[in-house]
Structures are given as C-alpha cells and as structure tokens.
Amino acid sequence: MTIRIAVDGTELEGRDGQTIAGVLIGAGRRSWRSAAGAERGVFCGIGVCQDCLVTVNGVEGVRACQRTARDGDVIEREAR
C-alpha cells in the first residue's frame, strides 16, 4: 500500500511500514535538518545519534529512523 506524507510542504510517497527516514531516503533526500550550521540526516539509523530529528504533526524531536510513516503525516525540518 502506498502512503503519502508532506515534508516541508512537498508531498512524498512511500510504502506502508517504512520509517519516515526510509521515505525521505527513497525520495532522494540525504539531509533534512541542520545543526550548528551543518546538514544532518540519518547517521546511525537505530535511534541513538539523534541526527535525524524532525517535527511530526507538530511534535518536535521525533527520530525519523524510528517512527513509522503514516499516511497524511506532516513533517517539518528542525534547526537546532
């Protein structure tokens, strides 16, 4: 089943069961957050490094590598 999420206003498609990071990487995005002036994305992929933090449906600090994407999710970049 195909799901759709909005990332900074752009709609992306993914597969049911993929993580948010999986959908982003599948769409060709390697970074989606900035910290201390550097771009960040998935580094560890297991929820330890916190490089992949995003805001999901208004909730800040969600690890994109751990959160399963759900149809209709609204994802926003974070800058810390």
Side-chain angles (χ1 to χ4, degrees):
M1 178 176 150
T2 299
I3 61 165
R4 290 182 171 79
I5 63 174
V7 181
D8 295 329
T10 301
E11 190 171 277
L12 301 178
E13 287 187 357
R15 292 183 184 171
D16 190 28
Q18 274 187 304
T19 63
I20 292 169
V23 174
L24 289 166
I25 291 169
R29 295 185 181 210
R30 298 189 56 104
S31 67
W32 50 82
R33 184 174 85 86
S34 60
E39 292 295 311
R40 308 284 185 188
V42 168
F43 182 71
C44 73
I46 58 173
V48 175
C49 74
Q50 303 185 35
D51 269 3
C52 64
L53 296 178
V54 290
T55 297
V56 180
N57 303 326
V59 178
E60 295 180 354
V62 176
R63 291 178 175 98
C65 70
Q66 297 292 295
R67 167 70 155 66
T68 300
R70 296 188 186 107
D71 196 43
D73 277 345
V74 176
I75 314 300
E76 299 169 83
R77 290 179 59 102
E78 290 189 15
R80 296 182 180 215

